[in-house]
């Protein structure tokens, strides 16, 4: 762990351990991090529902101050594939 808080790799591992992901990538320093997450769990959910699911996973890290802010892009596997095309 660095002086600014949780590392991007640790956030990525936390999300992957708690959500079935086809893709998860996190960048940042724990102070301000950005995640791209593709999960079939997001099928039929709107953006707010998807973000709430991720926030529930990282909430303890935010509450403890290890993670200041996590911006995210949440996609279904089809949306992810479309962006990669």
């Amino acid at each position: 762990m660095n002086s600014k808080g949780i590392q991007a790799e640790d956030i990525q591992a936390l999300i992957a351990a708690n959500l079935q992901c086809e893709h998860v990538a996190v960048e940042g320093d724990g102070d301000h991090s950005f995640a791209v997450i593709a999960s079939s769990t997001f099928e039929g959910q709107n953006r707010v529902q998807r973000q709430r699911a991720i926030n529930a996973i990282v909430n303890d890290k935010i509450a403890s101050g290890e993670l200041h802010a996590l911006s995210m892009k949440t996609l279904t596997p089809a949306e992810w594939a479309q962006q990669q095309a």
Side-chain angles (χ1 to χ4, degrees), residues 3-75:
S3 62
K4 289 191 174 190
I6 191 169
Q7 300 226 5
E9 296 83 15
D10 297 327
I11 300 167
Q12 186 170 314
L14 180 64
I15 293 169
N18 289 280
L19 182 73
Q20 180 182 338
C21 300
E22 281 69 23
H23 173 81
V24 59
V26 179
E27 298 176 354
D29 58 12
D31 200 27
H32 294 93
S33 298
F34 177 74
V36 177
I37 305 145
S39 174
S40 56
T41 306
F42 298 148
E43 297 285 351
Q45 294 184 343
N46 66 35
R47 184 176 50 87
V48 172
Q49 291 169 320
R50 296 173 184 190
Q51 290 182 351
R52 284 183 179 152
I54 302 304
N55 285 336
I57 294 170
V58 300
N59 193 44
D60 286 347
K61 300 298 181 187
I62 293 172
S64 72
E66 286 182 79
L67 176 61
H68 174 70
L70 179 66
S71 300
M72 65 190 87
K73 183 178 228 180
T74 53
L75 306 161

